[in-house]
Amino acid sequence: MDFKWSDSEKKVARRAFDKALEKECASIMAKFKDMAAKVEKPEDLWAVHDYLTKQRRAIDEKYDYRYSQLIFVFARLLGEKWIDEKDLHCLSAEKLQAIQYILSR
């Protein structure tokens, strides 16, 4: 899927992408703070470290802002509820259909 992105679509895509990343990072930070507040022994500390390491890998793997990958990224973010369809409403019908197709698989 090699789509052309208009300037307005690029702006919508960037806003949706950044919104999802911010929401997911806020969720990770909230869990981190909860975990850190409960640290009592060394193994608790390493559990926090392991959680952050796992989340960092997941974020790095998921959030790929290459235009060739955005359709897949947005399908995943919609499926995981980090964005809503309204966040993508200004994308072309062709892109929205591709996202829905991927999401339905």
Short mmCIF file of all heavy atoms in Angstrom, two decimals, residues 41-84:
data_model
loop_
_atom_site.label_atom_id
_atom_site.label_comp_id
_atom_site.label_asym_id
_atom_site.label_seq_id
_atom_site.Cartn_x
_atom_site.Cartn_y
_atom_site.Cartn_z
N LYS A 41 11.56 -4.20 48.09
CA LYS A 41 12.74 -5.07 48.08
C LYS A 41 13.40 -5.00 46.71
O LYS A 41 12.79 -4.53 45.76
CB LYS A 41 12.40 -6.51 48.45
CG LYS A 41 10.97 -6.89 48.43
CD LYS A 41 10.73 -8.29 48.95
CE LYS A 41 9.65 -8.99 48.24
NZ LYS A 41 8.35 -8.52 48.20
N PRO A 42 14.65 -5.45 46.62
CA PRO A 42 15.37 -5.35 45.35
C PRO A 42 14.62 -5.96 44.17
O PRO A 42 14.61 -5.39 43.07
CB PRO A 42 16.69 -6.09 45.62
CG PRO A 42 16.90 -5.92 47.08
CD PRO A 42 15.52 -5.98 47.69
N GLU A 43 13.98 -7.09 44.37
CA GLU A 43 13.28 -7.71 43.24
C GLU A 43 12.12 -6.85 42.74
O GLU A 43 11.76 -6.89 41.57
CB GLU A 43 12.82 -9.14 43.54
CG GLU A 43 11.99 -9.30 44.78
CD GLU A 43 12.80 -9.66 46.03
OE1 GLU A 43 14.01 -9.45 46.06
OE2 GLU A 43 12.18 -10.16 46.96
N ASP A 44 11.54 -6.03 43.63
CA ASP A 44 10.50 -5.10 43.20
C ASP A 44 11.09 -4.04 42.28
O ASP A 44 10.47 -3.64 41.29
CB ASP A 44 9.85 -4.39 44.40
CG ASP A 44 9.17 -5.34 45.38
OD1 ASP A 44 8.78 -6.45 44.95
OD2 ASP A 44 9.03 -4.96 46.55
N LEU A 45 12.29 -3.60 42.62
CA LEU A 45 12.98 -2.61 41.79
C LEU A 45 13.23 -3.16 40.39
O LEU A 45 12.99 -2.47 39.39
CB LEU A 45 14.30 -2.22 42.46
CG LEU A 45 15.15 -1.19 41.75
CD1 LEU A 45 14.44 0.14 41.69
CD2 LEU A 45 16.49 -1.07 42.46
N TRP A 46 13.67 -4.40 40.31
CA TRP A 46 13.97 -5.00 39.00
C TRP A 46 12.69 -5.26 38.23
O TRP A 46 12.69 -5.20 36.99
CB TRP A 46 14.81 -6.27 39.16
CG TRP A 46 16.09 -5.97 39.88
CD1 TRP A 46 16.59 -6.61 40.97
CD2 TRP A 46 17.02 -4.92 39.60
NE1 TRP A 46 17.76 -6.03 41.38
CE2 TRP A 46 18.06 -4.99 40.55
CE3 TRP A 46 17.09 -3.91 38.64
CZ2 TRP A 46 19.13 -4.10 40.57
CZ3 TRP A 46 18.16 -3.02 38.66
CH2 TRP A 46 19.16 -3.13 39.61
N ALA A 47 11.59 -5.50 38.91
CA ALA A 47 10.30 -5.66 38.22
C ALA A 47 9.91 -4.34 37.54
O ALA A 47 9.39 -4.35 36.42
CB ALA A 47 9.23 -6.11 39.20
N VAL A 48 10.17 -3.23 38.22
CA VAL A 48 9.90 -1.92 37.61
C VAL A 48 10.78 -1.73 36.39
O VAL A 48 10.31 -1.32 35.32
CB VAL A 48 10.12 -0.78 38.64
CG1 VAL A 48 10.02 0.58 37.96
CG2 VAL A 48 9.13 -0.88 39.79
N HIS A 49 12.04 -2.06 36.53
CA HIS A 49 12.97 -1.96 35.40
C HIS A 49 12.51 -2.82 34.24
O HIS A 49 12.49 -2.37 33.08
CB HIS A 49 14.38 -2.38 35.85
CG HIS A 49 15.35 -2.47 34.73
ND1 HIS A 49 15.53 -3.63 34.00
CD2 HIS A 49 16.17 -1.54 34.18
CE1 HIS A 49 16.44 -3.41 33.07
NE2 HIS A 49 16.84 -2.15 33.16
N ASP A 50 12.14 -4.06 34.51
CA ASP A 50 11.69 -4.97 33.46
C ASP A 50 10.44 -4.43 32.76
O ASP A 50 10.31 -4.51 31.54
CB ASP A 50 11.43 -6.36 34.02
CG ASP A 50 12.70 -7.05 34.49
OD1 ASP A 50 13.81 -6.58 34.15
OD2 ASP A 50 12.58 -8.05 35.24
N TYR A 51 9.51 -3.89 33.55
CA TYR A 51 8.29 -3.32 32.98
C TYR A 51 8.63 -2.17 32.03
O TYR A 51 8.14 -2.12 30.90
CB TYR A 51 7.37 -2.82 34.10
CG TYR A 51 6.23 -1.99 33.59
CD1 TYR A 51 5.15 -2.58 32.93
CD2 TYR A 51 6.23 -0.60 33.72
CE1 TYR A 51 4.11 -1.81 32.44
CE2 TYR A 51 5.21 0.17 33.23
CZ TYR A 51 4.15 -0.43 32.58
OH TYR A 51 3.13 0.34 32.08
N LEU A 52 9.49 -1.26 32.47
CA LEU A 52 9.86 -0.13 31.63
C LEU A 52 10.59 -0.57 30.37
O LEU A 52 10.35 -0.02 29.28
CB LEU A 52 10.71 0.87 32.42
CG LEU A 52 9.96 1.66 33.49
CD1 LEU A 52 10.94 2.50 34.30
CD2 LEU A 52 8.88 2.53 32.88
N THR A 53 11.46 -1.54 30.50
CA THR A 53 12.18 -2.05 29.34
C THR A 53 11.22 -2.65 28.32
O THR A 53 11.31 -2.38 27.12
CB THR A 53 13.23 -3.10 29.77
OG1 THR A 53 14.16 -2.47 30.66
CG2 THR A 53 13.97 -3.68 28.57
N LYS A 54 10.28 -3.45 28.80
CA LYS A 54 9.28 -4.07 27.92
C LYS A 54 8.43 -3.00 27.24
O LYS A 54 8.17 -3.08 26.03
CB LYS A 54 8.40 -5.02 28.73
CG LYS A 54 7.35 -5.72 27.93
CD LYS A 54 6.52 -6.65 28.80
CE LYS A 54 5.42 -7.27 28.00
NZ LYS A 54 4.50 -8.06 28.83
N GLN A 55 8.02 -2.00 27.98
CA GLN A 55 7.18 -0.94 27.42
C GLN A 55 7.96 -0.11 26.40
O GLN A 55 7.41 0.28 25.37
CB GLN A 55 6.61 -0.06 28.53
CG GLN A 55 5.64 -0.77 29.44
CD GLN A 55 4.54 -1.49 28.69
OE1 GLN A 55 3.88 -0.92 27.83
NE2 GLN A 55 4.34 -2.76 29.00
N ARG A 56 9.21 0.14 26.66
CA ARG A 56 10.04 0.90 25.71
C ARG A 56 10.15 0.16 24.39
O ARG A 56 10.02 0.75 23.31
CB ARG A 56 11.43 1.15 26.31
CG ARG A 56 12.40 1.85 25.38
CD ARG A 56 11.87 3.23 25.01
NE ARG A 56 12.66 3.88 23.99
CZ ARG A 56 13.54 4.83 24.23
NH1 ARG A 56 13.77 5.24 25.45
NH2 ARG A 56 14.20 5.36 23.23
N ARG A 57 10.38 -1.14 24.46
CA ARG A 57 10.46 -1.94 23.23
C ARG A 57 9.14 -1.90 22.47
O ARG A 57 9.12 -1.78 21.24
CB ARG A 57 10.83 -3.38 23.55
CG ARG A 57 12.29 -3.57 23.81
CD ARG A 57 12.65 -5.06 23.84
NE ARG A 57 13.83 -5.22 24.66
CZ ARG A 57 13.88 -5.90 25.79
NH1 ARG A 57 12.84 -6.54 26.24
NH2 ARG A 57 14.99 -5.97 26.47
N ALA A 58 8.04 -2.03 23.19
CA ALA A 58 6.72 -2.02 22.56
C ALA A 58 6.44 -0.68 21.89
O ALA A 58 5.93 -0.63 20.76
CB ALA A 58 5.63 -2.34 23.59
N ILE A 59 6.78 0.40 22.56
CA ILE A 59 6.57 1.74 22.00
C ILE A 59 7.44 1.92 20.75
O ILE A 59 6.96 2.39 19.70
CB ILE A 59 6.90 2.83 23.04
CG1 ILE A 59 5.86 2.84 24.17
CG2 ILE A 59 7.03 4.21 22.39
CD1 ILE A 59 4.49 3.32 23.80
N ASP A 60 8.70 1.55 20.84
CA ASP A 60 9.60 1.70 19.69
C ASP A 60 9.14 0.88 18.50
O ASP A 60 9.28 1.31 17.35
CB ASP A 60 11.03 1.30 20.08
CG ASP A 60 11.69 2.32 20.99
OD1 ASP A 60 11.17 3.44 21.13
OD2 ASP A 60 12.74 1.98 21.59
N GLU A 61 8.59 -0.29 18.74
CA GLU A 61 8.13 -1.16 17.66
C GLU A 61 6.82 -0.66 17.07
O GLU A 61 6.61 -0.74 15.85
CB GLU A 61 7.96 -2.59 18.21
CG GLU A 61 7.51 -3.61 17.19
CD GLU A 61 6.03 -3.92 17.29
OE1 GLU A 61 5.55 -4.20 18.38
OE2 GLU A 61 5.35 -3.88 16.25
N LYS A 62 5.96 -0.13 17.88
CA LYS A 62 4.62 0.27 17.44
C LYS A 62 4.59 1.61 16.73
O LYS A 62 3.93 1.77 15.71
CB LYS A 62 3.69 0.33 18.65
CG LYS A 62 2.26 0.64 18.33
CD LYS A 62 1.41 0.83 19.57
CE LYS A 62 1.53 -0.32 20.53
NZ LYS A 62 0.66 -0.15 21.71
N TYR A 63 5.28 2.59 17.26
CA TYR A 63 5.17 3.97 16.77
C TYR A 63 6.21 4.25 15.69
O TYR A 63 7.31 4.71 15.98
CB TYR A 63 5.26 4.95 17.93
CG TYR A 63 4.02 4.93 18.78
CD1 TYR A 63 3.90 4.05 19.85
CD2 TYR A 63 2.94 5.74 18.49
CE1 TYR A 63 2.75 3.99 20.61
CE2 TYR A 63 1.78 5.70 19.24
CZ TYR A 63 1.69 4.83 20.31
OH TYR A 63 0.55 4.77 21.05
N ASP A 64 5.84 3.96 14.46
CA ASP A 64 6.70 4.13 13.29
C ASP A 64 6.05 5.17 12.39
O ASP A 64 5.03 4.90 11.76
CB ASP A 64 6.83 2.78 12.57
CG ASP A 64 7.76 2.82 11.39
OD1 ASP A 64 8.16 3.93 10.96
OD2 ASP A 64 8.08 1.74 10.88
N TYR A 65 6.60 6.36 12.37
CA TYR A 65 5.99 7.44 11.60
C TYR A 65 6.52 7.54 10.16
O TYR A 65 6.69 8.61 9.62
CB TYR A 65 6.15 8.80 12.31
CG TYR A 65 5.18 9.81 11.76
CD1 TYR A 65 3.87 9.85 12.18
CD2 TYR A 65 5.58 10.71 10.78
CE1 TYR A 65 2.97 10.76 11.65
CE2 TYR A 65 4.70 11.63 10.25
CZ TYR A 65 3.41 11.64 10.68
OH TYR A 65 2.51 12.54 10.15
N ARG A 66 6.72 6.45 9.55
CA ARG A 66 7.01 6.47 8.11
C ARG A 66 5.67 6.39 7.40
O ARG A 66 4.81 5.59 7.78
CB ARG A 66 7.91 5.31 7.71
CG ARG A 66 9.32 5.45 8.25
CD ARG A 66 10.16 4.26 7.90
NE ARG A 66 9.64 3.09 8.62
CZ ARG A 66 9.96 1.83 8.32
NH1 ARG A 66 10.79 1.57 7.33
NH2 ARG A 66 9.46 0.83 9.03
N TYR A 67 5.48 7.20 6.37
CA TYR A 67 4.19 7.22 5.68
C TYR A 67 3.83 5.85 5.11
O TYR A 67 2.66 5.50 5.04
CB TYR A 67 4.17 8.30 4.59
CG TYR A 67 4.21 9.69 5.19
CD1 TYR A 67 5.32 10.51 5.03
CD2 TYR A 67 3.15 10.16 5.95
CE1 TYR A 67 5.37 11.77 5.60
CE2 TYR A 67 3.19 11.42 6.53
CZ TYR A 67 4.30 12.21 6.35
OH TYR A 67 4.35 13.46 6.93
N SER A 68 4.83 5.08 4.77
CA SER A 68 4.57 3.73 4.25
C SER A 68 4.01 2.80 5.32
O SER A 68 3.45 1.75 5.01
CB SER A 68 5.85 3.13 3.67
OG SER A 68 6.83 2.98 4.70
N GLN A 69 4.14 3.18 6.59
CA GLN A 69 3.70 2.33 7.69
C GLN A 69 2.48 2.87 8.44
O GLN A 69 1.87 2.15 9.23
CB GLN A 69 4.84 2.15 8.70
CG GLN A 69 6.06 1.46 8.13
CD GLN A 69 5.71 0.09 7.58
OE1 GLN A 69 5.14 -0.73 8.26
NE2 GLN A 69 6.05 -0.14 6.31
N LEU A 70 2.12 4.11 8.20
CA LEU A 70 1.07 4.74 9.01
C LEU A 70 -0.28 4.04 8.95
O LEU A 70 -1.00 4.00 9.95
CB LEU A 70 0.91 6.22 8.64
CG LEU A 70 1.95 7.15 9.23
CD1 LEU A 70 1.70 8.58 8.77
CD2 LEU A 70 1.97 7.08 10.74
N ILE A 71 -0.65 3.49 7.82
CA ILE A 71 -1.93 2.79 7.73
C ILE A 71 -1.95 1.63 8.73
O ILE A 71 -2.93 1.43 9.45
CB ILE A 71 -2.16 2.27 6.29
CG1 ILE A 71 -2.25 3.43 5.30
CG2 ILE A 71 -3.40 1.38 6.21
CD1 ILE A 71 -3.41 4.39 5.51
N PHE A 72 -0.86 0.90 8.81
CA PHE A 72 -0.76 -0.23 9.75
C PHE A 72 -0.72 0.27 11.20
O PHE A 72 -1.35 -0.32 12.09
CB PHE A 72 0.49 -1.07 9.45
CG PHE A 72 0.51 -1.60 8.05
CD1 PHE A 72 1.32 -1.02 7.08
CD2 PHE A 72 -0.29 -2.68 7.69
CE1 PHE A 72 1.33 -1.51 5.79
CE2 PHE A 72 -0.29 -3.17 6.39
CZ PHE A 72 0.53 -2.58 5.44
N VAL A 73 0.02 1.33 11.42
CA VAL A 73 0.12 1.92 12.76
C VAL A 73 -1.25 2.37 13.22
O VAL A 73 -1.68 2.05 14.35
CB VAL A 73 1.13 3.09 12.77
CG1 VAL A 73 1.08 3.83 14.10
CG2 VAL A 73 2.54 2.59 12.49
N PHE A 74 -1.98 3.08 12.37
CA PHE A 74 -3.29 3.58 12.77
C PHE A 74 -4.29 2.45 12.99
O PHE A 74 -5.12 2.54 13.90
CB PHE A 74 -3.82 4.59 11.75
CG PHE A 74 -3.09 5.91 11.79
CD1 PHE A 74 -2.89 6.64 10.64
CD2 PHE A 74 -2.61 6.43 12.98
CE1 PHE A 74 -2.22 7.87 10.66
CE2 PHE A 74 -1.94 7.65 13.02
CZ PHE A 74 -1.75 8.36 11.86
N ALA A 75 -4.21 1.41 12.20
CA ALA A 75 -5.10 0.26 12.44
C ALA A 75 -4.83 -0.32 13.82
O ALA A 75 -5.76 -0.62 14.58
CB ALA A 75 -4.90 -0.79 11.35
N ARG A 76 -3.59 -0.46 14.16
CA ARG A 76 -3.23 -1.01 15.47
C ARG A 76 -3.66 -0.07 16.60
O ARG A 76 -4.21 -0.52 17.61
CB ARG A 76 -1.73 -1.26 15.54
CG ARG A 76 -1.28 -1.88 16.83
CD ARG A 76 0.16 -2.29 16.77
NE ARG A 76 0.57 -2.88 18.03
CZ ARG A 76 1.78 -3.32 18.27
NH1 ARG A 76 2.71 -3.26 17.33
NH2 ARG A 76 2.08 -3.83 19.45
N LEU A 77 -3.42 1.22 16.44
CA LEU A 77 -3.78 2.18 17.47
C LEU A 77 -5.29 2.25 17.67
O LEU A 77 -5.77 2.39 18.80
CB LEU A 77 -3.21 3.56 17.15
CG LEU A 77 -1.69 3.66 17.14
CD1 LEU A 77 -1.24 5.04 16.68
CD2 LEU A 77 -1.10 3.31 18.50
N LEU A 78 -6.04 2.13 16.59
CA LEU A 78 -7.50 2.07 16.71
C LEU A 78 -7.93 0.81 17.45
O LEU A 78 -8.78 0.86 18.34
CB LEU A 78 -8.16 2.08 15.32
CG LEU A 78 -8.35 3.44 14.66
CD1 LEU A 78 -8.75 3.25 13.20
CD2 LEU A 78 -9.40 4.24 15.39
N GLY A 79 -7.34 -0.31 17.07
CA GLY A 79 -7.67 -1.59 17.71
C GLY A 79 -7.35 -1.60 19.19
O GLY A 79 -8.07 -2.21 19.99
N GLU A 80 -6.29 -0.92 19.57
CA GLU A 80 -5.89 -0.86 20.98
C GLU A 80 -6.53 0.32 21.72
O GLU A 80 -6.25 0.54 22.89
CB GLU A 80 -4.36 -0.77 21.08
CG GLU A 80 -3.67 -2.03 20.59
CD GLU A 80 -2.15 -1.94 20.64
OE1 GLU A 80 -1.60 -0.92 21.12
OE2 GLU A 80 -1.50 -2.90 20.19
N LYS A 81 -7.36 1.08 21.02
CA LYS A 81 -8.13 2.20 21.60
C LYS A 81 -7.26 3.39 22.03
O LYS A 81 -7.65 4.14 22.91
CB LYS A 81 -8.99 1.73 22.78
CG LYS A 81 -9.85 0.54 22.51
CD LYS A 81 -11.06 0.91 21.73
CE LYS A 81 -12.06 -0.24 21.71
NZ LYS A 81 -12.43 -0.67 20.42
N TRP A 82 -6.11 3.57 21.40
CA TRP A 82 -5.30 4.75 21.70
C TRP A 82 -5.77 5.96 20.92
O TRP A 82 -5.47 7.10 21.28
CB TRP A 82 -3.82 4.47 21.46
CG TRP A 82 -3.28 3.44 22.39
CD1 TRP A 82 -2.79 2.20 22.05
CD2 TRP A 82 -3.18 3.52 23.82
NE1 TRP A 82 -2.41 1.52 23.18
CE2 TRP A 82 -2.64 2.29 24.29
CE3 TRP A 82 -3.51 4.49 24.76
CZ2 TRP A 82 -2.41 2.03 25.63
CZ3 TRP A 82 -3.29 4.23 26.10
CH2 TRP A 82 -2.74 3.01 26.53
N ILE A 83 -6.47 5.73 19.81
CA ILE A 83 -7.11 6.79 19.05
C ILE A 83 -8.52 6.34 18.70
O ILE A 83 -8.84 5.15 18.79
CB ILE A 83 -6.33 7.17 17.76
CG1 ILE A 83 -6.12 5.95 16.86
CG2 ILE A 83 -5.04 7.87 18.08
CD1 ILE A 83 -5.49 6.26 15.51
N ASP A 84 -9.33 7.29 18.27
CA ASP A 84 -10.69 7.02 17.80
C ASP A 84 -10.75 7.29 16.30
O ASP A 84 -9.92 8.02 15.76
CB ASP A 84 -11.69 7.95 18.49
CG ASP A 84 -11.67 7.83 19.99
OD1 ASP A 84 -11.70 6.70 20.50
OD2 ASP A 84 -11.61 8.89 20.64
#
